Amino acid sequence: MHSFKFPSIKEEYDGRIIADPNLFIYEKMDGGNVSIRKDGTRIVPWSRGGPLGRSEKYYFNAFRQFVFELLTPEIYNLPENLIPFGEFPHPGYGHIPYDTPYLNKFFLIGVYDTDAHTFLRPADSQRKLAEIDVLRKIKVAPLLRRGSINQKKANELVQHSNLYRGPREGIVLHHYDQAYPNGVKMSKYYHPDFRERDYNKEGIEQFTTLRRFIKAGQGLLAAGEEITLEGVLE
């Protein structure tokens, strides 16, 4: 079983004009980063940290149930070299109250081919999962725009989500090109309510944002620790 993990998206979109047919812009979702892997005859659900095992932390039970009840038996036809990655919104994890129909669902964000060492392009990802009859049982991260972006359009795209009554957490730019590691370059752009840094403030106050406190709390949960004010502030 391959140990490849979804790359952490560190780069932020800076507002420059981009025009390229290989650019895909998705809604940035607030959920657990998950994947599904084939290991011989076994199917293994993963979180960002690795195989779920028998851990019962936050969304783990719900994701296991989704994989082994809803996706079975079709998921057992998953080729061993393909890793579907997705977001799994869960009411006990995250800070956006998505509408009930979108909770405890797998939202596909990409499929990685461990033989080719690359992410498949969106159409190919969906085709591969359709071939094993899994695509109809999952959701795909909302594709908001393709081919171009600028500062004005980015600001417009983060304003309203169709998954709940409120703004999107942000957008994620997927720029597919084999010149990039893993075949894709990803960058993110947050709605002001969810940014980790507030440039309208000065000094240390720039970093006292709601998003940063939530991220610190999620880190404590991932480590199996109790969420305390002292832990969040460390």
Side-chain angles (χ1 to χ4, degrees):
M1 180 171 57
H2 206 283
S3 60
F4 179 81
K5 295 183 179 181
F6 194 82
S8 178
I9 305 175
K10 299 184 181 300
E11 181 175 333
E12 295 204 23
Y13 170 62
D14 59 7
R16 69 186 186 281
I17 297 173
I18 302 175
D20 190 317
N22 296 311
L23 177 68
F24 295 75
I25 302 168
Y26 295 91
E27 178 165 354
K28 187 179 188 308
M29 299 190 63
D30 176 39
N33 182 269
V34 297
S35 60
I36 305 170
R37 313 191 183 210
K38 182 80 172 290
D39 182 22
T41 59
R42 298 189 308 134
I43 288 294
V44 185
W46 276 46
S47 70
R48 179 178 285 281
L52 297 190
R54 296 185 178 182
S55 174
E56 297 184 357
K57 293 188 295 186
Y58 30 93
Y59 62 86
F60 286 9
N61 279 335
F63 184 48
R64 270 193 297 263
Q65 183 177 9
F66 179 85
V67 171
F68 292 118
E69 294 185 11
L70 184 62
L71 298 188
T72 298
E74 291 86 356
I75 194 61
Y76 283 90
N77 294 320
L78 179 71
E80 199 160 348
N81 65 302
L82 299 184
I83 304 176
F85 284 95
E87 289 287 323
F88 192 76
H90 179 70
Y93 185 82
H95 55 275
I96 292 181
Y98 290 118
D99 292 343
T100 300
Y102 306 113
L103 295 173
N104 296 329
K105 300 292 193 298
F106 180 94
F107 283 80
L108 180 70
I109 55 178
V111 173
Y112 185 77
D113 185 334
T114 61
D115 288 344
H117 305 289
T118 191
F119 276 97
L120 302 180
R121 293 175 63 88
D124 292 331
S125 295
Q126 294 179 39
R127 177 175 57 81
K128 290 290 187 181
L129 295 183
E131 287 174 354
I132 61 172
D133 206 25
V134 165
L135 186 64
R136 66 184 178 87
K137 292 188 169 185
I138 64 174
K139 296 184 179 296
V140 178
L143 177 64
L144 307 178
R145 187 175 175 85
R146 180 179 177 182
S148 66
I149 191 67
N150 56 41
Q151 183 69 68
K152 180 181 178 182
K153 183 55 65 174
N155 288 336
E156 292 175 357
L157 289 176
V158 300
Q159 294 307 312
H160 301 288
S161 174
N162 292 327
L163 306 180
Y164 83 114
R165 186 170 295 182
R168 295 186 171 103
E169 182 182 46
I171 56 176
V172 180
L173 285 63
H174 290 207
H175 193 175
Y176 290 88
D177 192 315
Q178 288 304 311
Y180 298 129
N182 304 316
V184 64
K185 178 182 179 182
M186 289 177 276
S187 56
K188 57 191 176 183
Y189 184 79
Y190 286 106
H191 184 278
D193 290 353
F194 303 114
R195 290 175 185 162
E196 294 184 24
R197 185 173 181 178
D198 186 349
Y199 291 96
N200 294 320
K201 297 180 180 178
E202 296 182 358
I204 192 66
E205 289 189 3
Q206 290 187 355
F207 302 97
T208 57
T209 63
L210 176 61
R211 170 63 183 168
R212 187 167 289 274
F213 283 119
I214 289 172
K215 186 174 182 179
Q218 289 175 333
L220 291 172
L221 280 176
E225 300 177 16
E226 182 182 358
I227 296 180
T228 64
L229 179 59
E230 293 78 10
V232 168
L233 293 176
E234 282 185 358

